[in-house]
Structure formats: C-alpha cells, structure tokens
Amino acid sequence: MQFKLIMALVKPHITDNVVDAMKGAGATGATIIPARGTGIHEAKTFFGLSIEDKTDIIVFLVEEHVVENLLEVIRLAGKFNEPGTGIAFVLPIDHIVGLESQMKKFKDQARDKYF
C-alpha cells in the first residue's frame, strides 16, 4: 500500500468541521497541531507590528487512492472558497511503521474502491 500525508491549515473554528467530515469520509484519525500564521487576506498590523492569526495544522495519513476524494471533503468542510479560511496539500510518504491496527480499514477501503 502507498500512503500520502494530507496537511490542512485551517482556522481553529473550522478544525472540528474538517476532522468530523474527514472521519465521515473514511479517514482513520487526525493529528491537530496549534500554529500561527498570516496570509494576504487577514494580515493586520498594530502600531506597525504584524499580527499573526491562530491556525490549526490538521494532519491525515491516508491510502493514496482516497486522496482526491478527501481533499474535496476538506475543501468543502473548510469552506476554502472563502478567503482566509485555509489551504490543504499532499505530501508523499516513503516509509511508515505503526499502522498495523488500521491496516484492515485501509484494505477494506481499497477493496471497495477497486472491486
């Protein structure tokens, strides 16, 4: 099996919607990392200092055949069509350990997709 890492950077008030939608679409879990950052739409200053807005980084490890579907789930749940709500991207995974407890779910998803 080949795996991909989906990273979604969203505002904290959107995080639960994205995670719930992803789990409903078949993701087996998520890691949420608090962060801060700024983009062109929410950049603000206070006495000349740039104010960085809170952001959550949501990390999903998924089997590669479901990536496109799950990116669409993130886009819709995160309301990415609205400015300043977030972005998501995919990174390749070369090696992985520790997924033994989730392999049945991944195999079932692959079977349902291809057979």
Side-chain angles (χ1 to χ4, degrees):
M1 294 191 140
Q2 297 294 314
F3 292 92
K4 302 286 184 179
L5 187 75
I6 300 177
M7 295 186 75
L9 289 68
V10 302
K11 300 302 174 209
H13 70 279
I14 297 173
T15 299
D16 288 340
N17 291 343
V18 171
V19 172
D20 292 345
M22 287 289 282
K23 287 180 116 181
T28 57
T31 298
I32 302 164
I33 305 165
R36 59 188 179 139
T38 186
I40 63 169
H41 291 289
E42 68 272 11
K44 300 176 183 125
T45 59
F46 182 73
F47 291 113
L49 297 173
S50 192
I51 298 172
E52 296 174 334
D53 204 7
K54 291 182 180 177
T55 298
D56 282 341
I57 301 170
I58 313 170
V59 181
F60 301 95
L61 186 63
V62 301
E63 217 277 324
E64 72 178 343
H65 74 274
V66 298
V67 167
E68 288 184 34
N69 178 57
L70 293 179
L71 274 178
E72 181 65 9
V73 169
I74 291 172
R75 187 185 71 78
L76 294 172
K79 300 179 182 177
F80 285 6
N81 59 318
E82 298 174 14
T85 52
I87 62 169
F89 53 91
V90 179
L91 299 171
I93 299 294
D94 291 330
H95 305 283
I96 191 165
V97 296
L99 288 181
E100 289 78 11
S101 65
Q102 299 178 32
M103 290 309 288
K104 182 179 179 343
K105 172 96 174 181
F106 290 131
K107 288 177 183 178
D108 290 345
Q109 286 175 339
R111 184 191 65 241
D112 293 344
K113 170 86 173 172
Y114 295 112
F115 302 107

